[in-house]
Amino acid sequence: MSVYSIIVCGAGTMGSGIAQVSAMHGHQTTLFDPFPGAIEKARRNIEGGLQGLVDKGKMSHPDARQTLQNLTFTDQLEALMPADLVIEAIVEQLPAKIQLFASLDSIRKPSTIWASNTSSLSINALQHALPGPERIAGMHFFNPAVLMRLVEVVSGQLTDPSVLDTLRDLTLQWKKIPVLCKDAPGFIVNRVARAYYLEALHILEEGSCTMESIDHIAEASGFKMGPFRLMDLIGNDINLAVSQSLYEASGFAPRFQPSSIQLAKVQAGELGRKTAKGYYTYS
Ligand SMILES: NC(=O)c1ccc[n+]([C@@H]2O[C@H](COP(=O)([O-])OP(=O)(O)OC[C@H]3O[C@@H](n4cnc5c(N)ncnc54)[C@H](O)[C@@H]3O)[C@@H](O)[C@H]2O)c1
């Protein structure tokens, strides 16, 4: 099946990047977020991102203009029209994701695919709670979505294989690398990466090293970003939600237990780059 029209729900860090990628590859893309200010911020970020590509000579003016023409921004659920694919990138909470998809049921065509960008929540749980489970899958992008090439295409128990084929082909069309995996807590990358964040937080809790030193050592040993810098990029609320979800899904395995430092950061509203303050301060 070829995908022409795409709705992206959630205009935050991930949703705005995914919508930009989709529009850059010629899809009629609608970015939806009902929260005040979110859509305007996303529009500014996308316009700034496209201008940056033009300035670096990586995109022509006409292509940037066409990309913006492919995009529609809305904060009104009622304004959404049926689409071939819906990608949700809203808060990392299962009830919210279920509620969102349920509210889109009236514009679901028999062929519409619903894909979740969840980092850690169960695709099977979404399928059990929603109509059309055979057309539900995971499509897990990485941050920043415009640059990162890996996409985990996640199969739930009831996902029709043709849906996975469509998402894999779309990922390739977007010049990204699809990795097919079955639904499992944290899929592949977030499960492997948990140790990177949580061990760094344990070291900090023990007081044996500063976070700057931990980041410095990680980066000097070849990691692109140290764990604290990376958590700030991801968002400390998202990172805590992913830790919590893996902890619960693993039957409370101690190795996945969230750190009290993560909780304190979220309670203080220090969510990372998106709030200009997290482990570090950003201007
Ligand atoms: N941040 C990352 O590095 C990263 C990477 C991969 C996947 N993800 C996943 O992507 C999803 C979004 O993460 P994010 O970092 O973009 O979060 P974010 O906090 O930056 O953005 C979330 C957006 O969703 C909007 N939103 C909340 N409820 C909504 C609803 N019911 N309908 C429409 N919009 C709604 C909010 O207004 C906000 O703009 C999460 O599931 C997360 O696990 C995040």
Side-chain angles (χ1 to χ4, degrees), residues 12-14 33-35 90 92 97 117 119 141 143 234 274:
T13 309
M14 295 305 294
D33 195 312
F35 287 86
I90 67 166
E92 185 72 345
K97 291 183 190 291
N117 183 50
S119 307
F141 293 80
N143 184 5
I234 291 166
K274 62 185 165 186

Side-chain angles (χ1 to χ4, degrees), residues 71-84:
L71 273 165
T72 304
F73 298 87
T74 184
D75 56 6
Q76 301 293 316
L77 188 74
E78 302 71 35
L80 297 176
M81 302 294 283
D84 299 325

Side-chain angles (χ1 to χ4, degrees), residues 18-57:
I18 296 167
Q20 181 178 329
V21 173
S22 167
M24 279 165 59
H25 288 87
H27 301 277
Q28 283 307 313
T29 307
T30 304
L31 182 58
F32 162 68
D33 195 312
F35 287 86
I39 279 292
E40 275 319 306
K41 186 173 172 197
R43 188 201 296 268
R44 280 196 304 277
N45 283 345
I46 292 174
E47 285 171 354
L50 292 172
Q51 187 58 50
L53 291 174
V54 171
D55 292 345
K56 286 181 200 146

